[in-house]
Short mmCIF file of all heavy atoms in Angstrom, two decimals:
data_model
loop_
_atom_site.label_atom_id
_atom_site.label_comp_id
_atom_site.label_asym_id
_atom_site.label_seq_id
_atom_site.Cartn_x
_atom_site.Cartn_y
_atom_site.Cartn_z
N THR N 18 -23.62 28.17 -2.97
CA THR N 18 -24.66 29.22 -2.79
C THR N 18 -25.20 29.51 -4.19
O THR N 18 -24.64 30.38 -4.91
CB THR N 18 -24.07 30.44 -2.12
OG1 THR N 18 -23.37 30.04 -0.93
CG2 THR N 18 -25.15 31.49 -1.76
N ALA N 19 -26.22 28.81 -4.58
CA ALA N 19 -26.66 28.88 -5.96
C ALA N 19 -27.04 30.26 -6.40
O ALA N 19 -26.86 30.62 -7.60
CB ALA N 19 -27.87 27.93 -6.16
N GLU N 20 -27.61 31.10 -5.56
CA GLU N 20 -28.07 32.46 -5.91
C GLU N 20 -26.89 33.39 -6.24
O GLU N 20 -27.14 34.34 -6.96
CB GLU N 20 -28.97 32.98 -4.83
CG GLU N 20 -30.22 32.24 -4.62
CD GLU N 20 -30.98 31.96 -6.02
OE1 GLU N 20 -31.16 32.91 -6.82
OE2 GLU N 20 -31.34 30.77 -6.22
N ARG N 21 -25.74 33.10 -5.79
CA ARG N 21 -24.53 33.90 -6.17
C ARG N 21 -23.97 33.56 -7.52
O ARG N 21 -23.28 34.31 -8.12
CB ARG N 21 -23.46 33.73 -5.12
CG ARG N 21 -23.75 34.46 -3.84
CD ARG N 21 -22.46 34.37 -2.99
NE ARG N 21 -22.75 34.95 -1.69
CZ ARG N 21 -21.86 34.90 -0.67
NH1 ARG N 21 -20.69 34.37 -0.83
NH2 ARG N 21 -22.19 35.43 0.43
N CYS N 22 -24.28 32.33 -8.00
CA CYS N 22 -23.69 31.82 -9.18
C CYS N 22 -24.19 32.46 -10.46
O CYS N 22 -25.33 32.76 -10.59
CB CYS N 22 -24.01 30.30 -9.33
SG CYS N 22 -23.36 29.53 -10.74
N LYS N 23 -23.20 32.79 -11.31
CA LYS N 23 -23.58 33.33 -12.61
C LYS N 23 -23.33 32.35 -13.78
O LYS N 23 -23.30 32.70 -14.95
CB LYS N 23 -22.76 34.59 -12.93
CG LYS N 23 -23.10 35.73 -11.95
CD LYS N 23 -22.25 36.93 -12.22
CE LYS N 23 -22.65 38.01 -11.21
NZ LYS N 23 -21.63 39.11 -11.16
N GLY N 24 -23.11 31.07 -13.40
CA GLY N 24 -23.03 30.02 -14.43
C GLY N 24 -21.76 30.05 -15.28
O GLY N 24 -21.88 29.47 -16.35
N CYS N 25 -20.66 30.59 -14.81
CA CYS N 25 -19.52 30.70 -15.60
C CYS N 25 -18.89 29.30 -15.91
O CYS N 25 -18.26 29.09 -16.95
CB CYS N 25 -18.47 31.55 -15.09
SG CYS N 25 -17.77 30.95 -13.52
N GLY N 26 -19.08 28.37 -14.98
CA GLY N 26 -18.55 27.04 -15.20
C GLY N 26 -17.09 26.81 -14.92
O GLY N 26 -16.54 25.81 -15.11
N PHE N 27 -16.51 27.85 -14.29
CA PHE N 27 -15.03 27.70 -13.94
C PHE N 27 -14.82 26.58 -12.93
O PHE N 27 -13.86 25.82 -12.99
CB PHE N 27 -14.49 29.01 -13.30
CG PHE N 27 -14.25 30.09 -14.37
CD1 PHE N 27 -13.96 31.38 -13.88
CD2 PHE N 27 -14.31 29.83 -15.74
CE1 PHE N 27 -13.76 32.40 -14.84
CE2 PHE N 27 -14.15 30.89 -16.64
CZ PHE N 27 -13.82 32.17 -16.23
N CYS N 28 -15.77 26.43 -11.97
CA CYS N 28 -15.66 25.36 -10.97
C CYS N 28 -15.70 24.02 -11.62
O CYS N 28 -14.90 23.12 -11.23
CB CYS N 28 -16.79 25.54 -9.96
SG CYS N 28 -18.38 25.56 -10.67
N VAL N 29 -16.52 23.86 -12.54
CA VAL N 29 -16.65 22.58 -13.28
C VAL N 29 -15.35 22.30 -14.16
O VAL N 29 -14.81 21.26 -14.11
CB VAL N 29 -17.89 22.53 -14.18
CG1 VAL N 29 -17.98 21.25 -15.02
CG2 VAL N 29 -19.15 22.70 -13.33
N GLU N 30 -14.94 23.34 -14.83
CA GLU N 30 -13.86 23.26 -15.77
C GLU N 30 -12.55 22.88 -14.93
O GLU N 30 -11.72 22.10 -15.49
CB GLU N 30 -13.60 24.51 -16.51
CG GLU N 30 -12.57 24.49 -17.55
CD GLU N 30 -12.90 23.58 -18.74
OE1 GLU N 30 -14.10 23.39 -19.10
OE2 GLU N 30 -11.95 23.03 -19.33
N PHE N 31 -12.30 23.46 -13.80
CA PHE N 31 -11.07 23.33 -13.13
C PHE N 31 -11.10 22.25 -12.00
O PHE N 31 -10.14 22.09 -11.32
CB PHE N 31 -10.60 24.68 -12.56
CG PHE N 31 -10.13 25.59 -13.65
CD1 PHE N 31 -10.98 26.55 -14.15
CD2 PHE N 31 -8.88 25.43 -14.20
CE1 PHE N 31 -10.58 27.38 -15.18
CE2 PHE N 31 -8.47 26.28 -15.25
CZ PHE N 31 -9.31 27.25 -15.73
N CYS N 32 -12.24 21.66 -11.75
CA CYS N 32 -12.32 20.54 -10.79
C CYS N 32 -11.37 19.42 -11.18
O CYS N 32 -11.62 18.83 -12.19
CB CYS N 32 -13.79 20.06 -10.61
SG CYS N 32 -13.87 18.69 -9.42
N PRO N 33 -10.37 19.12 -10.36
CA PRO N 33 -9.39 18.12 -10.78
C PRO N 33 -9.92 16.72 -10.75
O PRO N 33 -9.36 15.80 -11.42
CB PRO N 33 -8.28 18.30 -9.84
CG PRO N 33 -8.87 18.93 -8.64
CD PRO N 33 -9.98 19.84 -9.15
N THR N 34 -11.05 16.47 -10.08
CA THR N 34 -11.55 15.12 -9.95
C THR N 34 -12.88 14.94 -10.84
O THR N 34 -13.45 13.91 -10.79
CB THR N 34 -11.93 14.79 -8.52
OG1 THR N 34 -12.88 15.71 -8.04
CG2 THR N 34 -10.69 14.81 -7.74
N GLU N 35 -13.25 16.04 -11.43
CA GLU N 35 -14.54 16.04 -12.30
C GLU N 35 -15.72 15.59 -11.59
O GLU N 35 -16.56 14.83 -12.05
CB GLU N 35 -14.29 15.15 -13.50
CG GLU N 35 -13.12 15.64 -14.41
CD GLU N 35 -12.88 14.74 -15.63
OE1 GLU N 35 -13.50 13.70 -15.78
OE2 GLU N 35 -12.04 15.18 -16.48
N ALA N 36 -15.79 16.08 -10.33
CA ALA N 36 -16.96 15.79 -9.47
C ALA N 36 -18.15 16.70 -9.64
O ALA N 36 -19.22 16.44 -9.17
CB ALA N 36 -16.48 15.78 -8.00
N LEU N 37 -17.94 17.79 -10.35
CA LEU N 37 -18.96 18.82 -10.51
C LEU N 37 -19.54 18.86 -11.91
O LEU N 37 -18.79 18.51 -12.88
CB LEU N 37 -18.42 20.23 -10.19
CG LEU N 37 -17.97 20.45 -8.76
CD1 LEU N 37 -17.23 21.78 -8.65
CD2 LEU N 37 -19.11 20.48 -7.82
#
Side-chain angles (χ1 to χ4, degrees):
T18 307
E20 295 310 313
R21 287 188 184 174
C22 179
K23 292 180 183 165
C25 68
F27 288 169
C28 55
V29 174
E30 184 68 31
F31 289 98
C32 177
T34 61
E35 299 179 353
L37 297 169

